[in-house]
Amino acid sequence: MRSVFAYAIAVFIFTVIFIGAGFVVAKVITTETVPSDEKDVSVILSELRQVMRSSEYNVQAYLIPSTDTHLGGSSRRVSYVSGFTGSNGFAIVGETKAAVWVDGRYYLQADRQVDTTYWEIMKSGLADTKSHEEWMRDNLPSAARVGLDPNVFSPSDFDRYSKYLSGYGHTLVSLPENLVDLVWEDKPQISLSELEVQQLAFSGQPISEKIERLRSEINNMNGEALVVSTLDEIAWLLNLRGRDFSTTPTFYSYVILTMNDLYVFFHKDRPVSESIKDHIRTESQTNCIFDFTYETFLNGLQKVVSETTKYIVIPSDGNQATFERIPSERRSVVSGFSPIARLKAVKNNVEAEGLKNCHVRDGVAVIRYLHWLNVTIGSETITEISGATRLQQFRSEQEHFKGLSFGSISGFGPNAAVVHYSPTQETNLEITTEGVYLIDSGGQYYDGTTDVTRTIHLGEPTDFEKLAYTLVLKGHLAIDRAIFPPNTRGAHFDGLARQFLFQEGLDFAHGTGHGIGAYLGVHEYPPSITSAAGSPGFVENMFVSNEPGYYEENSFGIRIESIVQVVKFEGKPGMRDFAGRGAYTFHSVTMVPFHLKLINTDLITKDEAEQINAYHREVVETVGDLLKEQDQAAYDWLLEETQPISSTML
């Protein structure tokens, strides 16, 4: 029988970026328990294959991505058919065989969850793992038809699969229905929340100014319309927030912006008040059209195509179904990141100030939690789940708190070694003094989104645990003190983070950093710190995570994550400014101390010790007043935990 694990619905609203060392650490955006009476995997596969064989579809293989119609969230279809609940999986069901692909974050999770009687686990990134195409090459019958739902594939993926398969005499076909949905009798319905206006006091920019900049970009591309399907981009553009997803304040919708009109496509069953429409009309200062619904989006797109003559601009993260509705000679596909993603990545002054402010309050909550752990351990049982629940309580007491930004990754001992870990009743370990505890968590606030990871040991760490922690910390500090010209690429900083681990033959299988939204997605791209090409460089007021780590399988995991802001470097005597381009550095807005007990001072330099001390002084100065107001004992504990340290390096 299929194991009863939590669904990991990762509604990241971002394109997952493959890098040489893996993926950026994913966040479990919301969890729903799989019903205990769920169908057995063998039954699901049998029913799906029966539909595949029917005369109506007649396909010999079916491709199932984890993405939804917006190519950013999780449809849970991979989870349903395979039992694998990670946020990023891909499944292919053939006539007699089936395979599910997972990346480095999920190797251990897939081993636990997937029944290999029916599924082959394909671990992406390992040298002997076949690609999707190679697996189909070796397992399809001659002249096979391979089916997919064009609503959940990008045009580039469709084109890649189609060309490869045709080279072996096979055909890729778009099907009018999603075959998994046809056999999924009790598929959960999407949630439709009421919408709320993100006031200018928090957004910092009216819709009209955003539209003006976008229309200028559309015009520069000889275009006449821009299709917007990425949910956080729509929320940002319209200065609206929703709760269709429990931890990301976005909502199901589409937008098409033309040179004269703004088409907004709300779900037909969504309760949209006239005040919300009035907000859009008033703040956009353009003609707004609400005639079409979410369900009739493609009809609205056809209307725009028929009434315009120039290019229709389509971001590369749009789906194949949208692509097929626009004549080839009218398509202008944006390579890389969309115009909105690039604008959204650079926070305006109001957004930047809000992100700094919310991290102060969030830091208070995390410090109170760490103090509570230290004084409570041994006197009562604390588990991964109960600990995460207590942290949520501390966050809920902060001003402007709206909820979590993802399900907390609360992992003790061997569970901390699972990069993308979500505790369940089956895996829930007690937090004790006998191992490393990793807590990766974040909050949503009206003025920003937070994401912080700290790793601690409530007992006596081993020498190797201290070595690993110190090497990770040294990489974290190297990024923090980096000085660079504008538009420096993320790959440069990725190397800084890994250099000390590399010297000991160690590494981590995920990216080093991701952007973060202003009361939006906990993952936002650009910016990013990865070895991948294509990400635009860093400029002032970008915010990105700094999160190197190390994971010892079945033993412990370490990650240190702070959100840092790109700021101007004030300079030092005699320093040049990159030929007038200006010098920049990172400044941490996360205000939570490092764990001194895990630092091997024999391995840190004098400058690194002072960098740690300076950061700890800033933490105390920044959160001190609010922390004392809420919890004097936690403040006293913070003072003890941030005592100056010295290098003992020989």
Side-chain angles (χ1 to χ4, degrees):
M1 290 293 291
R2 177 180 168 186
S3 299
V4 183
F5 276 83
Y7 274 121
I9 310 168
V11 188
F12 302 144
I13 325 300
F14 69 94
T15 303
V16 176
I17 300 177
F18 182 80
I19 65 171
F23 292 74
V24 174
V25 177
K27 311 301 181 183
V28 182
I29 300 305
T30 182
T31 59
E32 295 179 18
T33 302
V34 178
S36 59
D37 60 350
E38 191 72 68
K39 290 180 183 176
D40 186 275
V41 166
S42 63
V43 175
I44 294 171
L45 286 174
S46 176
E47 293 178 349
L48 180 57
R49 286 173 172 140
Q50 184 176 350
V51 173
M52 291 164 53
R53 288 193 298 267
S54 69
S55 58
E56 184 175 359
Y57 302 109
N58 185 29
V59 293
Q60 286 69 58
Y62 190 65
L63 309 185
I64 309 169
S66 60
T67 51
D68 62 10
T69 302
H70 299 274
L71 304 190
S74 172
S75 65
R76 293 179 285 176
R77 294 183 180 104
V78 172
S79 301
Y80 179 70
V81 299
S82 72
F84 170 65
T85 65
S87 64
N88 186 52
F90 188 96
I92 301 178
V93 177
E95 291 182 311
T96 60
K97 295 182 179 180
V100 59
W101 280 259
V102 301
D103 64 66
R105 297 167 298 172
Y106 302 110
Y107 292 168
L108 297 179
Q109 183 175 338
D111 288 339
R112 292 176 179 178
Q113 294 181 321
V114 177
D115 188 339
T116 54
T117 304
Y118 307 102
W119 286 91
E120 184 178 2
I121 301 173
M122 311 297 289
K123 296 181 177 180
S124 299
L126 299 185
D128 59 348
T129 299
K130 295 178 182 178
S131 67
H132 308 160
E133 294 93 333
E134 290 168 337
W135 189 90
M136 288 189 283
R137 177 199 63 197
D138 295 342
N139 289 280
L140 289 176
S142 61
R145 283 166 47 89
V146 177
L148 57 69
D149 176 357
N151 291 287
V152 295
F153 281 88
S154 69
S156 60
D157 285 341
F158 184 93
D159 187 58
R160 186 181 82 250
Y161 290 127
S162 181
K163 288 180 178 177
Y164 186 92
L165 290 170
S166 65
Y168 287 89
H170 308 305
T171 305
L172 183 67
V173 292
S174 291
L175 301 179
E177 287 90 20
N178 189 289
L179 302 193
V180 175
D181 292 353
L182 295 182
V183 301
W184 195 347
E185 297 172 355
D186 299 318
K187 182 181 178 183
Q189 299 300 306
I190 63 174
S191 172
L192 298 172
S193 62
E194 290 189 8
L195 305 180
E196 59 181 353
V197 173
Q198 180 74 341
Q199 301 294 339
L200 285 174
F202 297 120
S203 71
Q205 188 177 33
I207 302 171
S208 58
E209 292 183 8
K210 300 175 183 181
I211 286 178
E212 182 179 3
R213 295 178 68 181
L214 288 171
R215 282 177 171 159
S216 176
E217 292 211 27
I218 295 169
N219 186 62
N220 290 339
M221 290 183 277
N222 195 30
E224 212 168 341
L226 170 68
V227 177
V228 189
S229 60
T230 305
L231 299 186
D232 68 331
E233 294 185 6
I234 294 170
W236 177 85
L237 175 62
L238 300 180
N239 284 341
L240 291 175
R241 300 294 187 267
R243 302 299 296 182
D244 290 5
F245 312 99
S246 67
T247 55
T248 303
T250 55
F251 49 93
Y252 289 105
S253 53
Y254 293 101
V255 159
I256 300 176
L257 176 65
T258 72
M259 303 309 284
N260 298 305
D261 304 311
L262 176 65
Y263 289 77
V264 183
F265 302 81
F266 290 123
H267 195 285
K268 62 181 177 60
D269 297 325
R270 180 182 301 284
V272 181
S273 65
E274 279 303 313
S275 64
I276 292 295
K277 294 180 180 179
D278 287 342
H279 153 74
I280 298 173
R281 293 186 186 101
T282 301
E283 208 177 276
S284 69
Q285 298 181 22
T286 196
N287 184 52
C288 297
I289 298 174
F290 303 101
D291 297 345
F292 298 91
T293 66
Y294 182 83
E295 293 74 15
T296 59
F297 162 68
L298 293 178
N299 295 336
L301 175 58
Q302 284 187 314
K303 178 177 185 291
V304 171
V305 170
S306 67
E307 294 179 353
T308 55
T309 58
K310 297 182 180 179
Y311 286 124
I312 306 296
V313 179
I314 321 167
S316 58
D317 56 2
N319 65 42
Q320 175 68 15
T322 299
F323 193 75
E324 291 173 357
R325 291 298 181 101
I326 303 172
S328 58
E329 69 275 8
R330 297 282 308 283
R331 301 173 193 148
S332 176
V333 181
V334 179
S335 60
F337 298 100
S338 73
I340 292 181
R342 290 174 179 270
L343 292 178
K344 180 165 57 66
V346 182
K347 307 312 186 228
N348 62 51
N349 290 335
V350 171
E351 291 173 322
E353 193 63 25
L355 278 164
K356 290 188 288 186
N357 290 338
C358 75
H359 275 86
V360 174
R361 301 190 301 276
D362 198 72
V364 166
V366 176
I367 291 168
R368 291 182 64 189
Y369 174 60
L370 295 176
H371 165 252
W372 174 81
L373 280 175
N374 274 268
V375 300
T376 307
I377 197 76
S379 62
E380 66 178 76
T381 299
I382 305 171
T383 67
E384 295 167 336
I385 291 177
S386 68
T389 301
R390 189 58 179 258
L391 175 53
Q392 182 175 357
Q393 177 185 327
F394 286 129
R395 279 197 168 98
S396 70
E397 298 171 12
Q398 306 306 315
E399 184 181 18
H400 298 322
F401 178 75
K402 294 294 292 180
L404 299 182
S405 56
F406 59 96
S408 297
I409 300 174
S410 176
F412 177 76
N415 286 342
V418 181
V419 178
H420 178 72
Y421 173 69
S422 178
T424 69
Q425 293 301 327
E426 291 79 11
T427 65
N428 189 27
L429 292 181
E430 180 180 355
I431 300 170
T432 72
T433 60
E434 300 301 317
V436 167
Y437 174 57
L438 183 154
I439 179 67
D440 183 348
S441 64
Q444 292 286 10
Y445 302 85
Y446 276 128
D447 50 352
T449 302
T450 68
D451 184 4
V452 53
T453 307
R454 289 296 184 262
T455 305
I456 64 172
H457 199 300
L458 296 166
E460 292 301 322
T462 67
D463 289 343
F464 184 61
E465 288 168 343
K466 292 177 69 173
L467 169 68
Y469 183 91
T470 306
L471 297 177
V472 170
L473 178 60
K474 286 169 71 71
H476 184 95
L477 296 173
I479 288 179
D480 267 4
R481 66 174 178 269
I483 302 169
F484 51 93
N487 297 308
T488 299
R489 304 282 175 155
H492 169 76
F493 306 109
D494 190 72
L496 294 180
R498 298 176 193 271
Q499 59 180 313
F500 303 102
L501 288 164
F502 279 8
Q503 291 170 11
E504 298 294 329
L506 306 176
D507 195 10
F508 53 95
H510 59 74
T512 303
H514 58 82
I516 194 165
Y519 185 30
L520 275 174
V522 70
H523 281 196
E524 185 174 279
Y525 298 94
S528 63
I529 299 177
T530 77
S531 59
S535 179
F538 285 89
V539 297
E540 187 176 9
N541 270 0
M542 281 184 169
F543 287 74
V544 68
S545 69
N546 172 7
E547 53 178 305
Y550 175 73
Y551 310 90
E552 184 76 3
E553 186 174 341
N554 298 320
S555 183
F556 68 89
I558 288 167
R559 187 161 61 253
I560 304 171
E561 176 185 20
S562 299
I563 300 300
V564 296
Q565 177 185 10
V566 180
V567 297
K568 289 181 179 178
F569 181 67
E570 297 304 324
K572 53 189 177 184
M575 179 181 170
R576 304 285 184 93
D577 67 345
F578 299 103
R581 290 184 291 162
Y584 293 84
T585 188
F586 294 114
H587 180 259
S588 177
V589 297
T590 296
M591 291 290 126
V592 180
F594 304 126
H595 193 50
L596 299 184
K597 185 190 294 186
L598 279 167
I599 299 175
N600 182 343
T601 56
D602 290 345
L603 301 177
I604 62 171
T605 66
K606 179 181 178 181
D607 287 344
E608 288 169 334
E610 179 48 41
Q611 187 180 354
I612 293 168
N613 294 336
Y615 174 67
H616 282 169
R617 287 194 297 270
E618 183 180 7
V619 170
V620 173
E621 292 170 2
T622 304
V623 307
D625 289 344
L626 183 60
L627 183 58
K628 283 188 288 187
E629 179 184 316
Q630 294 187 15
D631 193 332
Q632 180 66 46
Y635 176 77
D636 295 338
W637 173 84
L638 175 64
L639 295 181
E640 295 176 3
E641 292 296 306
T642 54
Q643 290 295 309
I645 63 172
S646 300
S647 168
T648 54
M649 178 181 286
L650 297 178

